[in-house]
Amino acid sequence: MTLQHYLVISAILFTLGIFAVLTRRNAISILMGIELILNSCNLNFAAFSRFMTPPEDISGQIIAIFGIVLAAAEAAVFLAIILAIYREFGSIRPNEVDTLKG
Amino acid sequence: MVIPLISLILLCPLAAFAIFGLLGLAKRSFPRQDYLSTAAMLIALVCSLLLLQEVVPDPEPHTVKWLSLGSVTFSMGFYLDSVTAIMLIVVTLVSSLVHIFSMGYMHGDPRYPRFFAFLSLFSFSMLFLVVSDNLLGIYIGWELVGLCSYLLIGFWFEKDSAANACKKAFLTTRVGDVGMFIGMMMLFTKFDTLSLYGETGIFSLAAAQLNTADMVWLSVAGVLIFCGAVGKSAQVPLHTWLPDAMEGPTPVSALIHAATMVAAGVYLTARMFPILTETSSLVIAYVGGITALVAATIAIVRFDIKRVLAYSTVSQLGYMMLGIGAGSYVAGLFHLTTHAFFKALLFLGSGSVIHAFHAMHGHGHDDDHGHDDDHGHEHEHGDHDAHGHDHGEDHDSEHVLGSEIPPDQDMRNMGGLRHKMPITFITMLIATLSISGVPFVFSGFWSKDAILGGVLGRAMEWNSVHHYLLFGMALFAAGLTAFYMFRLIFMTFFGEPRNQEMHNMAHESPKSMTVPLLILAALSFPVVNTLWFNADYVKPPEQAHLHAPEHAYVSPDSKVGEAGLTFSLFGISEAVAAEEGGQDTHGAHGDDGHHGHGPAHTIAMVLSIIVAGLGILLSWLFYHRRTLSAESVANSFRPIYNLFWHKYYFDEFYDGVLVALTVWKARLFAQFDGTIVDGIVNGVGKGTRDILAVFVGVFDNRIVDGLVNRVAEVTWSIGGRVRRIQTGAIQTYLFVVLAGIVLLILIFRAL
Amino acid sequence: MEFTLTNFIFYGFALMTIASALVVVTVRNIVHAAFSLMVTLFGVAGLYVFLQADFLAATQVIVYVGGILVLILFGVMMTSGRLEMRIHIERGQLLLGGLISLMLLMLLLTVIANTPAWKNLTDDGTELPPTTERIGELILNGPFLLPFEVVSVLLLVALIGAALISRKEVRDE
């Protein structure tokens, strides 16, 4: 196992997340994409902590834990917003929520 | 002092009217417009009296430049000579008295303040006319008095007859005014000015420039200007409006249609005296003579008291014209003055009688018991109207044409009023004696005699058939005048009351009405003669045509019009005449002395006394003693009587011929308008619309609109495209952001 | 690289993670996507175990699978009717998104492959002591105390805000 293995996995996850965010026409799917991205980040933190620092230093893992907390908060707020949008527009398709359209 | 005084004279009545007008704009009215107007006139009267001292023998006009059109400058200004001064006094005096009279007569009228405002406006206009030094100013005043006459005749415009009368007056005088305007323009083209006096005035220029060849021009211009006077002074053939103008309130008749405005025509003719030629003078004299005769003959068969006086006015105005036309400048103006007083008196007296009968013709008189009830008369309006009509019918029913006589103006309803209305009776009798030419103690005798003497003098001097004929007409008219005036007096004041109900109702008028009557009665005695026959004071102007070579033999510088002519004929020096005229403190007697010298005047005087006496005698026999029956005479001369009764069929002629012709012509023109003019206009319009408009429309739609639309479209499409950047969809934004990131990284790696 | 059991399990986890993530982003049914996401999260947790981050792996399973995923499923239920379960995908968008993602992936891979410091860092396989005690020390009695408190406040604020936003009736004051 080398660092690059993890990095490659992380990159693939990240790309898939980006792909989901860009292409899916459902807000919850987009949220899933975001979760993938966050996971790839956390994986990166953990991997760099494991390979680039002395074994005693685990601050990378702690940052990853913070990331998980943030992801939880983000998911809560995101779903609340989705509910509000659904009430307002009757839909959660992002291309239909275009009040800012010029 | 001249300018301030004249300004004050003009501004006072104008201010009185302006106050009414400005308050009228605010829908208010001055509480006592009558006091305001009367006070204004009294101030003007005082100023006029003061002006008498300012008169200088050969005055210069006080002029300012008014209007410049190219090389031509119109000026406005005042000219004050003795004639102006006397006219000012006449106008302001009569106007003041009429104002005072109206306070009683018009009391209770719903438009009482307006009446006084109009009187003020009229007074201003008349005074402006009198003091103007140029034809333009005279013309302005001329039209203004015409307007006021229109407004005041139609003052009771609810009455159809009044509304029609004011229109008739306005339109008829307009006919004459057209001629006057053309005459003015003729003078203007000749002399390039409308000023009359001064070195650059028309009179000086006419005297200096004109040669024989221009006499025709001048004659035509003179006659045309006289046309205005014919209209304004109600001369034949434009006299028909004046009797109808009696529909106005009686004070108006007294002021405008007896004393001042109608005399404006005479005044204008007198003002133009210097440029009157022999021909135009003769035309004027004939018009005046015919008018005097025609109107007098009509007057003897009228029953409406105001119509009698109206025809009398026309007749007397004819006298004045005759006098001026015959070269008796002073006599004409002298008669104007005396006539103004005694005719105003007669009208006001008739107004007093009408007021006494207090008839109901819906003028709001019915309300003015406040003044009258002190006489304790019961007014029974209900019946006398119908009664009056009955009476009129059984008397002469077949002759009562469309001209309905109001019962309170019908002399057949009057009679025996001398006990009821002593002051009115006495004053009217004095005026009647004056107008009838009762010798020596009444002013009318002197002025009428001056005209008769002047005409006869001219006839004898030139040995002219025309003037002998004119003298005969004038003499006959004088007899008729005496006849119809005494007929009026006998029918109104003597005999038994013919309408007992109305008689019972009659009463003497309030003081505000009798006092003016008394003042005017005093003026019917020869008190103004002093002014006119003071040779130093009134100088008749020289006539321009007399400078032309073939007229040089006529001595033009007669100091006292007609008298001077006779003096020169008999070789009596003018100096003596002037001395006698000027030094004698008692003008009338001094004047008497003058006339005694000329056979023409002696003859004229004797004849006029004879015809006046004859007229009075006949009148007495017909209408007082009733030894002669008017009806039987009328029946034996039925055609002539009918002619008189129908006023020589002037109205019928105008209605039947002129009006019909005008209507026919109007129809023709309307048809011409409808078919040809409208056709051309519509055709042009259609052509324009169908042809030109199509081109313009295409140009507009395609090029102009296209350009504008193209610009808008381009902007729109650019905006639309740019707008799409802002999709509002977050995924697009994110896509762009990521694409940017990729691009940036690629760029930095490449570097 | 010799084929050992450890390697086999690692690659298995990696494959599971990537494959299920691929399913997440491609499948049309959103409920399937959610369950596929669960597999992905488990896979990541397994990778954490390989990195000897035992506490992190546990947290991943508890928080993600037990919390976030349930939250997501709630969202799916509350917002989508039966017909809305299918995710609509547009072809042009898919193409563009794929292109960009692919370019991004290429970039990342080249960066990963070409960064010298990251090369030849092999997991030597030494056992490390469990991390839970040290993490507790670091968070509650060490340099991370303040960030921990801040994050807790943040979490509280986020929960209150979420509750406020998703409340049905917003009463106008």
Side-chain angles (χ1 to χ4, degrees):
Chain A
M1 306 312 118
T2 59
L3 176 60
Q4 285 166 330
H5 281 95
Y6 293 99
L7 289 182
V8 169
I9 293 169
S10 169
I12 291 170
L13 276 181
F14 178 80
T15 311
L16 286 172
I18 288 286
F19 178 74
V21 170
L22 281 181
T23 57
R24 316 238 61 180
R25 290 251 165 137
N26 185 308
I28 293 177
S29 297
I30 289 171
L31 175 62
M32 294 179 193
I34 293 170
E35 297 298 345
L36 287 180
I37 293 167
L38 282 170
N39 265 295
S40 75
C41 294
N42 287 342
L43 189 59
N44 263 9
F45 276 122
F48 280 116
S49 174
R50 173 73 182 81
F51 291 98
M52 299 288 284
T53 56
E56 306 81 34
D57 189 358
I58 53 168
S59 29
Q61 290 184 24
I62 293 174
I63 297 294
I65 289 170
F66 283 147
I68 291 171
V69 173
L70 284 177
E74 176 255 10
V77 175
F78 193 98
L79 282 167
I81 290 173
I82 282 174
L83 281 179
I85 286 174
Y86 183 71
R87 273 206 302 272
E88 185 71 25
F89 293 90
S91 164
I92 51 171
R93 293 183 180 181
N95 58 328
E96 288 175 7
V97 182
D98 56 357
T99 311
L100 281 175
K101 184 173 182 174
Chain B
M1 275 305 277
V2 175
I3 290 293
L5 281 175
I6 290 183
S7 304
L8 206 57
I9 288 173
L10 288 178
L11 286 179
C12 281
L14 184 63
F17 175 73
I19 287 170
F20 173 82
L22 292 177
L23 286 176
L25 288 180
K27 302 260 187 276
R28 300 268 165 76
S29 84
F30 194 71
R32 292 314 300 246
Q33 182 70 35
D34 50 348
Y35 288 170
L36 189 70
S37 291
T38 311
M41 276 328 293
L42 288 172
I43 293 170
L45 173 62
V46 171
C47 295
S48 305
L49 291 170
L50 290 175
L51 265 183
L52 266 184
Q53 305 169 346
E54 307 287 337
V55 175
V56 290
D58 219 356
E60 277 295 306
H62 307 274
T63 309
V64 289
K65 283 190 169 54
W66 185 52
L67 187 66
S68 284
L69 297 175
S71 60
V72 183
T73 302
F74 294 100
S75 59
M76 273 288 154
F78 306 139
Y79 181 75
L80 181 76
D81 64 357
S82 48
V83 176
T84 312
I86 294 169
M87 280 298 289
L88 282 178
I89 290 171
V90 170
V91 172
T92 52
L93 183 59
V94 175
S95 183
S96 306
L97 294 174
V98 166
H99 272 80
I100 295 165
F101 184 86
S102 301
M103 282 192 217
Y105 188 83
M106 298 299 288
H107 184 84
D109 191 279
R111 291 190 289 273
Y112 184 75
R114 182 193 294 195
F115 182 77
F116 282 91
F118 284 171
L119 282 187
S120 286
L121 179 62
F122 169 78
S123 306
F124 161 75
S125 318
M126 187 69 203
L127 293 166
F128 185 74
L129 191 163
V130 167
V131 298
S132 273
D133 76 324
N134 59 76
L135 274 173
L136 191 63
I138 289 177
Y139 193 70
I140 291 170
W142 188 265
E143 297 299 336
L144 273 176
V145 291
L147 169 70
C148 296
S149 164
Y150 168 80
L151 291 173
L152 284 165
I153 292 170
F155 188 70
W156 289 320
F157 50 77
E158 299 92 344
K159 261 198 315 178
D160 280 346
S161 57
N164 290 333
C166 69
K167 278 184 278 185
K168 183 175 180 181
F170 199 72
L171 292 176
T172 313
T173 47
R174 252 341 45 72
V175 174
D177 291 352
V178 171
M180 175 177 172
F181 194 77
I182 296 171
M184 277 169 58
M185 289 303 111
M186 284 178 73
L187 290 178
F188 185 74
T189 48
K190 196 84 184 164
F191 300 111
D192 269 346
T193 179
L194 285 172
S195 297
L196 294 175
Y197 301 96
E199 288 184 2
T200 57
I202 287 175
F203 295 153
S204 314
L205 294 175
Q209 290 179 1
L210 283 172
N211 48 37
T212 324
D214 288 324
M215 295 312 289
V216 178
W217 180 276
L218 208 57
S219 297
V220 173
V223 170
L224 281 171
I225 288 184
F226 175 66
C227 280
V230 167
K232 199 62 102 188
S233 290
Q235 301 297 294
V236 172
L238 298 179
H239 67 286
T240 55
W241 68 269
L242 185 57
D244 285 5
M246 295 303 128
E247 294 294 341
T250 309
V252 172
S253 305
L255 175 62
I256 299 183
H257 306 119
T260 52
M261 187 192 84
V262 290
V266 180
Y267 178 76
L268 176 74
T269 316
R271 273 286 182 231
M272 302 315 292
F273 189 72
I275 58 164
L276 293 181
T277 62
E278 203 178 332
T279 322
S280 48
S281 289
L282 196 62
V283 170
I284 292 168
Y286 262 115
V287 169
I290 291 169
T291 304
L293 194 59
V294 164
T297 52
I298 297 173
I300 60 175
V301 297
R302 296 292 107 187
F303 288 107
D304 184 335
I305 185 168
K306 285 184 73 180
R307 301 285 158 119
V308 172
L309 293 174
Y311 281 108
S312 163
T313 306
V314 175
S315 172
Q316 298 300 312
L317 291 167
Y319 259 104
M320 298 170 206
M321 289 295 184
L322 172 60
I324 292 170
S328 305
Y329 172 83
V330 172
L333 287 172
F334 178 36
H335 195 56
L336 191 163
T337 319
T338 57
H339 173 259
F341 292 136
F342 62 63
K343 188 50 67 67
L345 170 54
L346 283 169
F347 266 109
L348 292 183
S350 75
S352 176
V353 171
I354 293 166
H355 188 256
F357 275 156
H358 199 275
M360 34 183 300
H361 38 111
H363 303 337
H365 281 260
D366 302 343
D367 305 334
D368 63 346
H369 295 285
H371 267 296
D372 316 325
D373 277 355
D374 45 354
H375 297 278
H377 290 292
E378 269 299 319
H379 298 249
E380 287 162 341
H381 303 286
D383 330 345
H384 66 75
D385 196 11
H387 196 106
H389 274 298
D390 291 344
H391 195 91
E393 278 163 24
D394 62 18
H395 185 264
D396 212 351
S397 57
E398 75 266 33
H399 294 305
V400 179
L401 288 175
S403 58
E404 289 285 326
I405 304 175
D408 55 346
Q409 298 182 11
D410 194 334
M411 292 197 294
R412 287 166 296 189
N413 287 339
M414 301 173 183
L417 278 176
R418 67 181 186 278
H419 302 301
K420 286 272 191 180
M421 313 178 67
I423 299 175
T424 307
F425 166 62
I426 296 285
T427 51
M428 276 190 83
L429 183 64
I430 289 169
T432 306
L433 290 169
S434 185
I435 193 176
S436 302
V438 171
F440 305 125
V441 289
F442 295 106
S443 61
F445 167 74
W446 292 107
S447 56
K448 189 182 288 186
D449 182 58
I451 290 174
L452 288 171
V455 177
L456 188 61
R458 175 61 60 95
M460 288 163 75
E461 176 198 352
W462 286 2
N463 204 10
S464 146
V465 184
H466 294 304
H467 288 88
Y468 278 121
L469 188 64
L470 287 168
F471 175 72
M473 289 160 76
L475 200 63
F476 188 48
L480 289 174
T481 304
F483 177 77
Y484 66 69
M485 282 316 296
F486 270 93
R487 172 174 171 270
L488 184 149
I489 290 289
F490 286 135
M491 285 183 82
T492 308
F493 292 103
F494 286 90
E496 289 307 310
R498 266 160 284 189
N499 186 331
Q500 198 58 47
E501 261 179 87
M502 289 176 79
H503 186 78
N504 288 342
M505 213 174 60
H507 55 87
E508 184 59 274
S509 300
K511 281 217 165 50
S512 65
M513 291 165 70
T514 50
V515 168
L517 292 180
L518 289 169
I519 295 172
L520 283 171
L523 289 167
S524 291
F525 294 99
V527 290
V528 288
N529 299 22
T530 333
L531 284 175
W532 283 110
F533 288 97
N534 184 339
D536 287 337
Y537 199 69
V538 179
K539 284 186 186 169
E542 300 173 357
Q543 285 189 294
H545 71 93
L546 297 179
H547 287 268
E550 72 268 40
H551 287 292
Y553 63 88
V554 178
S555 149
D557 54 348
S558 53
K559 290 282 197 275
V560 185
E562 71 294 339
L565 290 170
T566 52
F567 291 158
S568 57
L569 272 179
F570 285 83
I572 297 170
S573 81
E574 293 155 19
V576 175
E579 215 172 79
E580 284 186 22
Q583 289 178 347
D584 200 327
T585 46
H586 198 285
H589 287 298
D591 195 33
D592 187 16
H594 284 242
H595 292 285
H597 292 293
H601 274 270
T602 320
I603 295 165
M605 192 182 291
V606 170
L607 284 174
S608 80
I609 291 171
I610 289 170
V611 294
L614 209 61
I616 295 169
L617 182 71
L618 279 173
S619 181
W620 185 69
L621 290 174
F622 272 115
Y623 294 100
H624 192 50
R625 286 294 299 273
R626 302 201 166 272
T627 46
L628 293 171
S629 162
E631 282 80 10
S632 60
V633 173
N635 282 329
S636 38
F637 296 99
R638 180 53 69 182
I640 295 176
Y641 181 83
N642 276 345
L643 187 67
F644 293 169
W645 178 260
H646 291 289
K647 311 162 211 167
Y648 292 82
Y649 297 99
F650 266 110
D651 280 325
E652 284 78 1
F653 172 74
Y654 288 152
D655 280 348
V657 180
L658 292 183
V659 174
L661 205 68
T662 311
V663 170
W664 178 78
K665 207 167 59 185
R667 290 231 176 85
L668 194 72
F669 287 157
Q671 219 155 23
F672 179 79
D673 253 19
T675 54
I676 297 178
V677 177
D678 280 9
I680 291 172
V681 170
N682 288 342
V684 170
K686 202 167 151 59
T688 311
R689 195 183 56 199
D690 290 356
I691 298 165
L692 191 60
V694 166
F695 285 120
V696 175
V698 167
F699 178 79
D700 250 21
N701 286 336
R702 291 282 159 78
I703 298 182
V704 178
D705 282 8
L707 213 62
V708 172
N709 287 344
R710 207 59 61 214
V711 170
E713 273 167 23
V714 168
T715 314
W716 177 267
S717 66
I718 291 174
R721 272 171 209 170
V722 174
R723 190 184 57 138
R724 278 186 216 151
I725 294 173
Q726 302 290 329
T727 56
I730 44 171
Q731 286 173 314
T732 319
Y733 300 157
L734 193 63
F735 173 81
V736 172
V737 167
L738 286 173
I741 288 171
V742 170
L743 205 65
L744 278 175
I745 292 174
L746 283 176
I747 288 168
F748 280 114
R749 283 194 69 86
L751 287 177
Chain C
M1 189 163 70
E2 78 270 45
F3 193 80
T4 61
L5 186 62
T6 317
N7 277 354
F8 178 76
I9 294 172
F10 173 81
Y11 283 115
F13 271 117
L15 197 66
M16 186 175 86
T17 307
I18 290 166
S20 62
L22 208 60
V23 170
V24 168
V25 299
T26 51
V27 81
R28 291 290 177 92
N29 191 313
I30 192 160
V31 182
H32 294 177
F35 278 100
S36 185
L37 180 64
M38 188 181 74
V39 176
T40 311
L41 296 175
F42 270 118
V44 173
L47 293 176
Y48 286 151
V49 172
F50 272 90
L51 290 169
Q52 301 204 5
D54 47 353
F55 183 78
L56 189 60
T59 313
Q60 167 88 359
V61 171
I62 292 169
V63 174
Y64 262 111
V65 181
I68 294 174
L69 200 65
V70 171
L71 212 58
I72 285 172
L73 283 171
F74 268 125
V76 170
M77 287 193 298
M78 291 171 76
T79 57
S80 309
R82 189 168 300 206
L83 293 173
E84 291 279 326
M85 288 295 184
R86 296 186 70 78
I87 301 160
H88 186 77
I89 293 172
E90 200 183 294
R91 185 178 292 272
Q93 199 177 8
L94 199 69
L95 225 64
L96 270 171
L99 188 68
I100 278 287
S101 306
L102 213 61
M103 285 176 71
L104 209 58
L105 182 63
M106 291 304 166
L107 266 173
L108 287 173
L109 290 180
T110 45
V111 168
I112 290 167
N114 295 333
T115 307
W118 296 347
K119 282 178 179 172
N120 303 321
L121 288 174
T122 322
D123 188 359
D124 50 5
T126 48
E127 284 285 320
L128 291 175
T131 55
T132 314
E133 190 189 341
R134 281 187 294 157
I135 287 172
E137 279 286 321
L138 284 169
I139 285 177
L140 297 176
N141 196 18
F144 290 99
L145 179 60
L146 183 65
F148 176 74
E149 294 296 338
V150 171
V151 161
S152 66
V153 171
L154 177 84
L155 192 59
L156 181 67
V157 169
L159 289 176
I160 294 173
L164 183 74
I165 292 171
S166 60
R167 204 174 51 162
K168 202 151 197 172
E169 293 269 324
V170 180
R171 197 188 301 159
D172 289 332
E173 303 301 319

